């Protein structure tokens, strides 16, 4: 078996060491503990793969309807399905909780390997790839941002899909760089791009821009053909998900994330200045030595920073571009260390060779090292540089993670990462407040059996974090086998009903989150909130603050049916006793008759801000609720301009509704008289289809109206032409990948441009010149430290008693 080179061994030690360090900090014993992951968004993500397993897959779907949050929302239609699929794949051999935990750290553990693979595939000279892998270690532990994605803090907060996507994207970029050089690997690149996109959209934007930059660094006809076909096939594979995503965007919610404008603070945080210095050195080396990967990373850093600064206020939150700037800085720092190590080896070798030549010129004798029996300078540099860099990086990262002794000259601020890791992976079951959480869930499950299943609106408070995350009660459907649904859910943007929930939350919570911007929030007003709950078909109200409970006790439409507590809760510096009161909301059936014909708004789009403005003004004024505002409807419904506050009223004889049944993708009921409109209090989405009725039509705020044509009506979340188009495009993408896999070359391979690859070359494009002597001469001349080399063209043969042959390499 071929013995690995010293450089390969150094890369293995460095990259493997980085992975081992990350794994060590993530506490494998906690990862393998069979508890339910808590903490931030992650603590509610845990329900998503289980819903895919228990509801969507049995219906033969990867995306579909979920009644669990916001009165229903399209599950995995506006969020990324692949991480959930990976969880279920792990779940085939592991307990669900452990499978979920391992997937949440998958992107963190693979990032050093992905960065190394990016360097190797792109042809970067050793020890560069290993240094890229090591450079991801301080990036992962970077604490300058905690939610934007990529680092450990963001991943623990819930952005694990972003982390997985980033790792896949780096490998994709490496394959692209290699494919542009060799003409191979189109099918692999297409597959990697599809996987990247199905994990997260934002890293996909980054790698698509990166692929374009790589192409522009050496574009020709064949390379354009290679990249266009690979990208088109990769994006086509995602069609089943991406095409409905694009077509249905009007039925999402724009949370109005405010653009981050403190540019200098975010681009140049004080804790990263050493990284910036090293990155500048990396850029300088890349320009001087024409290192393609260094120049590529420099361009990507500039584009990432420009995107962060120039991105307009909109759905794309500009702060989500910040991780790419930070990552590029760290990778460029890795480039700098690799070049410094290489330069040190060159200087050492040059000095040794100069001594050999000087001795030979004076007639002395110097024994040459036996070829193949010792480690070479390149090998020494290739081994020591990444290993020493790993030691330095690990030491830098570890200092804030441990309690340094008092005599230590350096005392960096302690890192919160270890506490976050323990908080997440001890799980809900490991929290002191778990008895409260468990008892409250048990109470709701019991009510579901006794009083019927339905939706629950729970009072929000920041100290709910003591349960494991302020989002802990989003798991009500997860724990109750989908009997009790939560009005608040994880995917704010995925439901068009989200704005109305947060209006309700402000009315029904003493300390609401008011997470969505630009809504007409009011202070605690339980009576107003209950009217909204009745309109949305919410069956239960859960309150814990004495103020909310006092107002609830005075509301005739609320009936106290259970309590849970008292439980000790830390509030500020004191411990208080908290009791949850659970009320049954009267008059909140999920299907109800209408007494007036709806009217159709003209000049108002079916979704987006236009619809939101019209619906919110109507939702905030209960006196207008007798006439529903519709996005469309039959010809007999009156058309009104915009959200007319005084629409014409056309009274209808209300039907008697009975036999209401709901499931994960169906709603059915009976009426005593067809022809009268009926309100279905479930979130509207174009996939809903009615049997035994006309419609459904979307009405404000985001509900449905049908006109029964028979006494039994059934609504089903089905397939639409948009879904069919998406799956057809996916099929074409898969066929294209198979076709490209059978034809691995673009024509006869891309034409090799200047400084783009050489037959038989083992080093990267432009990363290392052909002749070692020319490389050495160039390096030494650039630093101006040594005289011209003895074998160079300016050397006179008379300077030596005999013409020296080139010395053996050491």
């Amino acid at each position: 078996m071929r013995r690995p080179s010293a450089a390969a061994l150094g890369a293995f030690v460095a990259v493997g060491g980085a992975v081992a360090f990350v794994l060590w900090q993530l506490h494998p014993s906690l990862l393998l503990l069979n508890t339910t992951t808590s903490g931030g968004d992650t603590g509610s993500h845990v329900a998503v793969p289980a819903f895919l397993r228990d509801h969507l897959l049995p219906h033969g779907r990867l995306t579909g309807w979920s009644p669990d949050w916001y009165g229903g929302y399209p599950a995995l239609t506006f969020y990324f399905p692949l991480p959930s699929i990976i969880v279920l794949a792990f779940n085939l051999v592991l307990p669900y909780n452990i499978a979920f935990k391992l997937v949440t750290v998958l992107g963190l553990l693979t990032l050093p390997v992905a960065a190394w693979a990016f360097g190797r595939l792109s042809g970067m000279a050793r020890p560069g790839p290993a240094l890229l892998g090591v450079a991801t270690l301080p990036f992962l532990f970077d604490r300058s941002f905690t939610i934007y994605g990529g680092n450990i803090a963001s991943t623990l907060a819930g952005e694990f899909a972003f982390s997985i996507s980033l790792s896949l994207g780096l490998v994709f970029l490496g394959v692209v760089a290699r494919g542009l050089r060799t003409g191979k690997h189109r099918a692999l690149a297409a597959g990697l791009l599809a996987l990247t996109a199905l994990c997260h959209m934002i890293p996909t934007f980054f790698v698509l821009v990166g692929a374009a930059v790589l192409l522009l660094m050496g574009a020709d006809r064949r390379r354009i053909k290679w990249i266009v076909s690979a990208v088109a096939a990769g994006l086509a594979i995602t069609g089943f998900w991406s095409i409905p995503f694009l077509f249905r965007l009007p039925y999402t919610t724009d949370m109005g994330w405010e653009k981050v404008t403190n540019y200098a603070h975010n681009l140049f945080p004080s804790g990263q200045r050493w990284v910036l210095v090293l990155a500048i050195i990396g850029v300088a080396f890349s320009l001087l030595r024409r290192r393609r990967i260094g120049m590529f990373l420099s361009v990507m850093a500039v584009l990432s920073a420009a995107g962060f600064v120039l991105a307009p206020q909109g759905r794309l939150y500009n702060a989500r571009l910040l991780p790419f700037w930070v990552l590029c800085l760290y990778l460029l720092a890795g480039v700098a260390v690799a070049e410094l190590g290489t330069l040190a080896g060159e200087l050492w070798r040059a000095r040794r060779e100069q001594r050999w030549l000087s001795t030979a010129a004076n007639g002395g004798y110097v024994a040459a090292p036996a070829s193949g029996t010792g480690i070479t300078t390149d090998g020494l540099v290739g081994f020591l540089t990444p290993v020493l860099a790993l030691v330095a990086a690990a030491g830098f990262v570890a200092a804030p993670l441990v309690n340094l002794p008092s005599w230590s000259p350096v005392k960096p601020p302690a890192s919160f990462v270890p506490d976050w890791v323990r908080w997440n992976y001890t799980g809900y079951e490991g929290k002191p407040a778990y008895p409260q959480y468990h008892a409250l869930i048990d109470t709701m499950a019991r009510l579901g059996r006794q009083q019927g299943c339905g939706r629950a609106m729970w009072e929000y408070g920041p100290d709910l974090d003591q349960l494991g995350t302020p989002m802990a009660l989003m798991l009500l459907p997860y724990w109750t086998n989908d009997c009790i649904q939560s009005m608040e859910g994880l995917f704010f943007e995925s439901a068009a009903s989200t704005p109305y929930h947060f209006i309700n939350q402000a009315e029904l919570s003493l300390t609401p989150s008011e997470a969505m911007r630009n809504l007409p929030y009011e202070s605690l007003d339980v009576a107003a909130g209950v009217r909204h709950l009745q309109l949305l078909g919410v069956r239960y109200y859960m309150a814990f603050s004495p103020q909310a409970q006092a107002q609830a006790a005075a509301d005739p439409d609320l009936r106290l049916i259970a309590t849970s507590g008292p439980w000790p809760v830390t509030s500020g510096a004191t411990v208080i006793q908290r009791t949850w009161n659970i009320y049954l909301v009267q008059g909140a059936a999920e299907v109800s008759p209408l007494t007036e014909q709806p009217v159709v708004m003209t000049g108002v789009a079916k979704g987006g801000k236009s619809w939101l403005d019209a619906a919110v003004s109507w939702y905030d004024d209960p006196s207008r609720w007798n006439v529903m505002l519709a996005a469309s409807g039959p010809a007999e419904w009156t058309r009104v301009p915009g959200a007319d506050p005084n629409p014409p009223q056309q009274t209808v004889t209300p039907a008697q509704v009975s036999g209401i049944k709901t499931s994960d993708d169906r709603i059915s009921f009976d009426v005593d008289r067809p022809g009268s409109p009926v309100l279905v209090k479930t979130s509207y989405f174009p996939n809903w289809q009615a049997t035994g009725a006309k419609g459904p039509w979307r009405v404000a705020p985001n509900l449905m109206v049908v006109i029964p044509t028979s006494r039994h009506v059934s609504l089903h979340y089905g397939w639409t032409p948009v879904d069919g188009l998406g799956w057809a495009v996916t099929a074409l993408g898969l066929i294209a990948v198979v076709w490209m896999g059978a034809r691995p070359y673009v024509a006869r391979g891309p034409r090799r441009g200047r400084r783009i690859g050489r037959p038989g070359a083992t080093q990267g494009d432009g990363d290392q010149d052909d002749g070692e002597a020319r490389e050495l001469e160039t390096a030494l001349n650039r630093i101006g430290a040594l005289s011209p080399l003895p074998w160079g063209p300016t050397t006179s043969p008379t300077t030596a008693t005999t013409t020296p042959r080139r010395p053996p390499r050491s």
Side-chain angles (χ1 to χ4, degrees), residues 172-244:
F172 163 75
L173 285 177
V175 172
V176 168
R178 187 179 182 86
L180 291 175
R181 189 172 71 247
T182 64
K184 300 179 181 177
H185 312 307
R186 274 190 303 169
L188 177 59
L192 285 168
L193 178 60
L195 296 176
T196 302
L198 291 173
C199 279
H200 207 287
M201 181 188 305
I202 295 178
T204 306
F205 292 154
F206 174 74
V207 301
L208 285 175
V209 173
V213 172
L214 288 171
L215 175 65
L216 293 175
M217 293 175 74
D220 62 19
R221 181 178 56 81
R222 293 189 178 91
R223 287 186 174 89
I224 293 174
K225 181 180 177 182
W226 190 97
I227 197 83
V228 168
S229 56
V231 169
L235 294 180
I237 292 174
T238 70
F240 76 93
W241 175 82
S242 59
I243 287 180

Side-chain angles (χ1 to χ4, degrees), residues 2 49 137 164 254 302 384 414 434 475 616 653 703 712 768:
R2 183 182 177 185
L137 186 60
I164 300 171
D254 180 0
V302 171
L384 284 181
Y434 183 66
L475 295 190
V616 167
T653 303
L703 305 176
H712 182 74
Q768 191 160 333

Side-chain angles (χ1 to χ4, degrees), residues 393-622:
F396 172 80
V397 167
L401 301 174
V402 297
N403 291 321
L404 294 175
S406 58
W407 47 263
S408 173
V410 179
K411 291 284 286 184
S415 171
F416 55 79
V417 168
D419 290 338
W420 283 27
V421 170
R422 281 189 288 272
W423 184 263
N424 276 27
Y425 296 125
T426 53
Y428 287 100
E429 295 86 346
K431 304 294 176 287
Y434 183 66
Q436 175 192 175
Y437 186 51
H438 187 265
L440 183 58
I441 295 293
D442 276 355
T443 300
M444 294 307 299
R446 176 174 55 81
L447 289 177
R449 294 189 295 271
Q450 296 174 348
Q451 304 284 339
C453 298
R455 301 164 188 154
M457 176 76 201
W458 40 274
E459 183 179 2
Y460 179 86
D463 55 15
L464 292 180
D465 187 50
Q466 295 170 43
L467 301 178
T469 166
M471 301 177 170
L473 291 176
M474 292 179 185
L475 295 190
L476 275 168
Y478 176 76
W479 297 118
T480 63
N481 195 26
D482 296 288
C483 177
I484 304 297
Q485 296 103 37
S486 166
M487 281 305 291
E488 183 161 345
L490 172 64
F491 302 131
F492 294 171
E493 290 92 344
S494 293
S497 303
T498 301
Y500 317 104
H501 161 72
F502 282 109
I503 290 174
N504 298 354
Q505 188 204 67
E507 294 169 337
L508 295 165
S509 302
L510 183 64
T511 53
S513 65
E514 298 183 358
M516 184 174 171
R517 297 176 67 214
N518 303 320
L519 290 178
Y521 292 119
E522 301 289 345
S523 56
L524 181 69
D525 185 346
V526 172
V530 168
R531 288 195 294 273
H532 281 139
L533 295 186
Q534 291 169 327
L535 177 65
L536 298 185
V538 181
R539 189 176 185 84
Y540 299 105
Y541 171 46
M542 305 161 63
F544 61 79
S545 71
Q547 294 88 338
Q549 292 173 350
Q551 291 193 25
D555 194 303
D557 288 332
L558 292 179
R559 180 163 64 90
L560 180 65
I561 53 175
T563 63
S564 177
W567 304 101
V569 173
T570 302
S571 178
T574 61
V575 176
I576 62 173
Q577 297 297 313
R578 168 170 296 169
T579 297
W580 285 86
N581 284 1
I582 296 97
Y583 304 90
L584 184 68
V585 181
Q586 309 284 355
E590 293 188 35
V591 181
S592 64
L594 293 180
T595 58
E596 306 281 347
Q597 290 276 31
V599 296
V600 178
M601 293 184 290
T602 60
V604 176
K606 293 182 180 179
K609 190 174 186 308
S610 175
W611 174 270
L612 178 67
D613 291 342
V616 167
S617 66
W618 179 89
Y619 189 69
D620 244 13
D621 185 358

Side-chain angles (χ1 to χ4, degrees), residues 31-98:
L31 294 176
L32 298 177
L33 192 64
N34 192 5
T35 55
T36 310
T37 306
S38 59
D41 290 1
T42 311
S44 51
H45 269 292
V46 71
V48 180
F51 189 84
L52 173 64
R53 177 194 61 198
D54 299 337
H55 297 276
L56 299 183
L57 291 181
H59 291 308
R61 308 189 68 129
L62 291 175
T63 65
W65 190 252
S66 168
D68 288 352
W69 294 333
Y70 299 110
Y73 77 105
L76 294 176
T77 300
F78 300 110
Y79 200 73
F80 317 101
L82 186 56
S84 293
I85 296 172
I86 300 173
V87 170
L88 299 186
F90 284 20
N91 186 209
L92 294 175
V93 294
L94 293 169
Y96 179 80
N97 286 328
I98 296 174

Side-chain angles (χ1 to χ4, degrees), residues 301-323:
V302 171
L303 292 177
S304 300
F308 170 67
V309 174
L310 300 176
Q313 172 71 46
R315 283 178 178 261
L316 177 60
Y317 184 33
N318 71 322
R320 300 304 298 270
L321 304 178
L322 197 60

